[in-house]
Amino acid sequence: MKSAFKNLSKSRHTIDAGLVFAVTLCAGISTLLIYSIAHNGISANEGIGDSYWKTQLFSMITGLGLAVIISLIDYRKLVKLWFIFAPAALFLVALTFTSLGYQRAGADDQAWIQLGPVNLQPSEVLKIAFILTFGYHLSRDEEDMNKPLHMLLLLIHGGVPIAIVGLQGDYGTAIVFAAIFAFMICSAKISWKYLAAAPLVIGGAVAAMWFFALDDFHKKRILILFHPGSDSDIEYQQDLGLAALKSGKIFGKGLFEDVGEYIYVPEIHNDFIFTYVGQVFGFLGSMGLLIILTYICLKIFADSRVACDRLGRFICMGAFGLMLSHCILNIGMVLKAAPVIGIPLPFLSAGGTAMVSMYVIIGLVLSTYSHRAVIYNVFYDAAKEE
């Protein structure tokens, strides 16, 4: 730890304070929202009590501490421990296929495990491991990545986590992994020939999923987007979500009104928490939150531009792909522009594992920022200095 502080003191900047403030602001708002949900009784039938906001607060404090600690450690040293954290992450995911795995209430995938008093979603840990290992793989292989064998190995590396979470039935998380993979590999020196072939490969993968993986219920969730109003049962949750958003009008209803003032939406504390934001803070509050989330995504992207090497750039781009895909899928789901696929809103949806894992990923971005060797310049291209 002493060496970490010594290295940090030599860097030009210590920490990306703007990014830390933005994510912690979202986490604080999340805790307040969940406290409000627990105390106004809107989600009493889901058993949302004080333990939920206390878990969120504890996870925020724990995650923030981990992010600061990770920012002090050189990310180039962290990735060299891949032989420890990658097998550990895969082992945890494998446990979901055993008797330890279970399907959380309100979900349609078996993606959780219970280890004593702790409930854990291993795919969140796998996201961290994938960003680090794939970034390391790309940084070591970027010059040769366009050779067929090397590209095949990269595709296998990217395809393994997508396939594993897909087997769990967690198709939303599989899309997130695909987005992380796409942003990372496209930020490397990939040939235009592979990019030109990508639509055909993606189209084939989507067709295979449609005919051989998705059940009728998942297909209906997708088809309903093109035929709104044709199936009230499938649209029920999203229709309630839209009604909840509209009910807040411009300024919102406030956090602590009588329960009758609010519209209940299933999973309002979790995947549909944005509907509660609309109710209590109104249109202006919702737009303010979107601005903060946009800032977080753009700040991560900006930090990728000033990373001192390509490994740092790839890690930041992986974090950017993760954060952006989560925001688009979650808010699109609420606005009925995407199917309901169970993707949480970063730093806002209830969930200790998700909160801590997001902070860890932010910690990796902070590490690349703290250990950069150049002063920020919007026109600077780190690749030219390597």
Side-chain angles (χ1 to χ4, degrees), residues 297-309:
C297 291
L298 293 179
K299 198 69 179 71
I300 294 172
F301 181 80
D303 288 350
S304 75
R305 297 286 296 164
V306 297
C308 69
D309 59 6

Side-chain angles (χ1 to χ4, degrees), residues 58-112:
F58 176 78
S59 300
M60 178 184 75
I61 295 170
T62 302
L64 179 59
L66 287 173
V68 172
I69 291 172
I70 292 170
S71 74
L72 302 177
I73 304 171
D74 193 330
Y75 59 94
R76 289 162 291 199
K77 296 179 180 178
L78 281 175
V79 297
K80 292 181 179 179
L81 299 176
W82 66 267
F83 59 90
I84 297 176
F85 58 77
L90 289 171
F91 175 73
L92 287 173
V93 174
L95 290 179
T96 64
F97 297 98
T98 70
S99 58
L100 292 174
Y102 71 95
Q103 183 174 317
R104 186 178 62 85
D108 50 13
D109 56 295
Q110 185 171 311
W112 293 76

Side-chain angles (χ1 to χ4, degrees), residues 2-313:
K2 289 182 179 179
S3 62
F5 279 99
K6 184 177 179 181
N7 290 338
L8 183 61
S9 65
K10 292 180 180 179
S11 62
R12 295 176 185 262
H13 298 274
T14 54
I15 200 166
D16 188 341
L19 181 58
V20 173
F21 175 78
V23 298
T24 303
L25 176 61
C26 285
I29 292 172
S30 169
T31 304
L32 181 62
L33 290 170
I34 296 169
Y35 178 86
S36 171
I37 291 170
H39 282 260
N40 65 26
I42 185 177
S43 195
N45 62 324
E46 289 189 38
I48 307 304
D50 285 341
S51 63
Y52 279 76
W53 72 262
K54 289 178 180 178
T55 297
Q56 201 75 347
L57 179 61
F58 176 78
S59 300
M60 178 184 75
I61 295 170
T62 302
L64 179 59
L66 287 173
V68 172
I69 291 172
I70 292 170
S71 74
L72 302 177
I73 304 171
D74 193 330
Y75 59 94
R76 289 162 291 199
K77 296 179 180 178
L78 281 175
V79 297
K80 292 181 179 179
L81 299 176
W82 66 267
F83 59 90
I84 297 176
F85 58 77
L90 289 171
F91 175 73
L92 287 173
V93 174
L95 290 179
T96 64
F97 297 98
T98 70
S99 58
L100 292 174
Y102 71 95
Q103 183 174 317
R104 186 178 62 85
D108 50 13
D109 56 295
Q110 185 171 311
W112 293 76
I113 58 173
Q114 185 163 3
L115 300 175
V118 178
N119 297 322
L120 180 69
Q121 188 175 14
S123 61
E124 297 294 335
V125 181
L126 188 61
K127 289 173 187 174
I128 301 168
F130 178 65
I131 288 173
L132 286 172
T133 57
F134 194 61
Y136 190 45
H137 189 168
L138 275 174
S139 68
R140 292 175 62 88
D141 210 30
E142 186 177 22
E143 298 302 325
D144 296 318
M145 65 177 292
N146 291 309
K147 296 177 180 178
L149 179 59
H150 291 260
M151 180 55 67
L152 177 62
L153 293 175
L154 288 169
L155 291 174
I156 292 173
H157 192 156
V160 166
I162 296 172
I164 291 175
V165 296
L167 288 173
Q168 289 178 330
D170 191 353
Y171 300 120
T173 300
I175 294 173
V176 171
F177 271 106
I180 296 171
F181 170 80
F183 276 100
M184 292 180 76
I185 202 165
C186 288
S187 65
K189 298 176 181 177
I190 186 171
S191 169
W192 66 268
K193 295 178 182 178
Y194 290 111
L195 294 177
L200 295 175
V201 175
I202 295 172
V206 169
M209 286 289 293
W210 183 267
F211 291 108
F212 302 109
L214 299 181
D215 57 31
D216 290 339
F217 182 69
H218 291 108
K219 292 178 181 179
K220 287 179 180 179
R221 282 181 172 179
I222 296 171
L223 292 174
I224 202 67
L225 300 177
F226 303 98
H227 305 284
S230 60
D231 192 327
S232 58
D233 291 335
I234 296 292
E235 297 174 276
Y236 174 73
Q237 189 176 17
Q238 288 177 304
D239 286 342
L240 277 178
L242 287 174
L245 278 173
K246 294 176 184 177
S247 70
K249 299 183 180 179
I250 299 296
F251 300 105
K253 304 173 183 177
L255 285 161
F256 301 107
E257 298 298 320
D258 294 333
V259 64
E261 294 293 323
Y262 303 103
I263 296 175
Y264 166 71
V265 182
E267 296 294 315
I268 196 170
H269 64 294
N270 196 357
D271 299 338
F272 275 74
I273 198 166
F274 191 67
T275 66
Y276 195 61
V277 172
Q279 291 194 70
V280 301
F281 296 135
F283 174 78
L284 292 180
S286 300
M287 290 304 298
L289 183 61
L290 288 177
I291 290 171
I292 297 172
L293 291 172
T294 301
Y295 171 82
I296 291 171
C297 291
L298 293 179
K299 198 69 179 71
I300 294 172
F301 181 80
D303 288 350
S304 75
R305 297 286 296 164
V306 297
C308 69
D309 59 6
R310 49 192 165 193
L311 173 59
R313 182 173 76 245

